[in-house]
Amino acid sequence: MLDLVYAPFAEFEFMQRALVGVIAIALGGGPVGVFLMLRRMSLTGDAMAHAILPGAAVGYLLAGLSLPAMTIGGLFAGIVVAVAAGLVSRFTSLKEDASLAAFYLLSLALGVTIVSLRGSNVDLLHVLFGTVLALDDDTLLLLASISTLTVLALAVLYRPLVLECVDPVFLRSVSRAGTPTHLIFLGLVVMNLVGGFHALGTLLAVGMMMLPAAASRFWTSDITMMMLVSIVIGIASGVSGLLLSFHAELPAGPAIILSAGAVYVVSLVLGREGGLLWLAWPGRHLEA
C-alpha cells in the first residue's frame, strides 16, 4: 500500500514537480480562499479566474507558451476586469455580481477565441485545464514566489482583513486601511489565480482556492485554524489527485479538483462545525 503512494513520487521527476507545484498552490490559495469565503466573494474568485484568460491568451498569441508573457497578460487582464467591474457597479445601477458575470462571460469567450486563432485544440486544452504534470523550473519558481508573497502579505494584513470580514463599518471608522487592504487582497487573488492557471488551467484554478476553504469551515470557526486546515486539505487533495491520476490514468488537474471536492463532501457530512450529522444529532451541548 505504501509503495502505491511513495513509488510514483520516488521514480518519476514529473510527479515530483507536480507535487511541489500543488503544495505551493495550496499554501497560497487556501488562506486566500478562506478570506474570499468569509467576505462572501466566492463567486468573485470564479469570475476572476476566467477574467485572466484573455490576457494570458494575448501573451500566448504574441509569444507562444511563454511563462512571462502569459503571466504578465493574465495579471493585467485580471486587474483590469476587477477595476472595471468595481467602476461599473459604483457608477451605474448594475450590482457588482452582475457586472462580474458580464465580464466573466466576455473574458471566457474572448480568451478561447484568441487561443483558437493561433493554437491547436491541444493548446486550448492546456490553457483551459492546465499542465500540472509538465511544470518546469521557471513555473515552479513562479508558484513558490506567489505563495511566499501571499503568506507574507496575509501576515501583515491579517488584522484589517479579519476586521473587514467581521465589521467593515467599524474598520472604516477607526482606520483608513480598509480600501488599501481590499485592493491588495484583490491583487493577491489575481496573483494566485494566475499561478494556479499555469498548473490547473483557467477553468480549474479557483478550485484549489475555494474547495479547501469551504471544507475547512466545517471543522473550525477560528479563522487562523481555518487557514491552516485549508492548506492541509489543499495539499492532501493535491497528493491524492496526483496519485489518482497516475494509477487510474485520469487527467491530473480534474483529478486534483475531484479529490478536493470529495473532501468537501465528507466535511459537509461529518464536520463538527455545522456538518449534516452534527446538525442531525447535536448531542448534549445544551444541557447543564
Side-chain angles (χ1 to χ4, degrees):
M1 182 64 180
L2 289 177
D3 188 59
L4 292 176
V5 176
Y6 176 76
F9 298 112
E11 297 177 10
F12 300 100
E13 184 179 357
F14 71 89
M15 290 290 288
Q16 298 170 8
R17 291 176 177 274
L19 177 62
V20 173
V22 296
I23 290 175
I25 292 171
L27 286 173
V32 170
V34 167
F35 281 110
L36 277 173
M37 176 184 65
L38 294 177
R39 294 155 68 100
R40 299 181 180 180
M41 294 174 60
S42 300
L43 291 179
T44 300
D46 184 52
M48 294 300 299
H50 300 297
I52 67 177
L53 182 56
V58 170
Y60 170 79
L61 188 65
L62 296 176
L65 292 173
S66 167
L67 179 65
M70 295 180 71
T71 299
I72 294 172
L75 286 171
F76 180 77
I79 293 172
V80 167
V81 168
V83 172
L87 291 175
V88 168
S89 63
R90 181 165 185 170
F91 293 108
T92 71
S93 60
L94 199 64
K95 299 298 184 182
E96 188 173 19
D97 60 338
S99 62
L100 274 172
F103 281 113
Y104 142 65
L105 292 170
L106 288 171
S107 299
L108 183 60
L110 180 61
V112 171
T113 301
I114 293 173
V115 174
S116 300
L117 288 177
R118 172 171 174 171
S120 64
N121 289 335
V122 174
D123 294 327
L124 181 59
L125 287 175
H126 285 174
V127 170
L128 294 178
F129 298 104
T131 54
V132 68
L133 295 180
L135 300 178
D136 56 20
D137 291 341
D138 292 337
T139 306
L140 291 178
L141 182 60
L142 174 67
L143 295 177
S145 300
I146 290 174
S147 64
T148 301
L149 183 59
T150 299
V151 171
L152 292 176
L154 290 179
V156 173
L157 299 174
Y158 181 79
R159 293 185 67 183
L161 278 173
V162 172
L163 277 176
E164 194 174 28
C165 292
V166 176
D167 193 345
V169 176
F170 174 75
L171 177 62
R172 288 196 294 269
S173 68
V174 300
S175 173
R176 296 181 179 179
T179 298
T181 298
H182 182 71
L183 293 176
I184 294 173
F185 176 71
L186 285 179
L188 294 177
V189 173
V190 174
M191 284 174 49
N192 280 273
L193 288 173
V194 169
F197 156 77
H198 287 296
L200 299 172
T202 185
L203 294 183
L204 299 177
V206 72
M208 279 291 278
M209 292 176 61
M210 297 315 308
L211 286 172
S216 69
R217 181 60 184 87
F218 290 108
W219 297 106
T220 178
S221 58
D222 179 80
I223 295 178
T224 303
M225 284 302 300
M226 213 179 295
M227 294 165 65
L228 295 175
V229 172
S230 71
I231 292 173
V232 172
I233 292 175
I235 293 174
S237 301
V239 174
S240 58
L242 289 174
L243 290 172
L244 178 63
S245 169
F246 182 85
H247 292 296
E249 298 183 0
L250 297 175
I256 291 172
I257 303 305
L258 284 174
S259 297
V263 176
Y264 169 76
V265 172
V266 171
S267 302
L268 173 65
V269 176
L270 301 179
R272 58 180 299 133
E273 293 289 337
L276 295 178
L277 287 182
W278 286 80
L279 291 176
W281 291 284
R284 303 166 62 87
H285 67 282
L286 296 178
E287 297 183 10

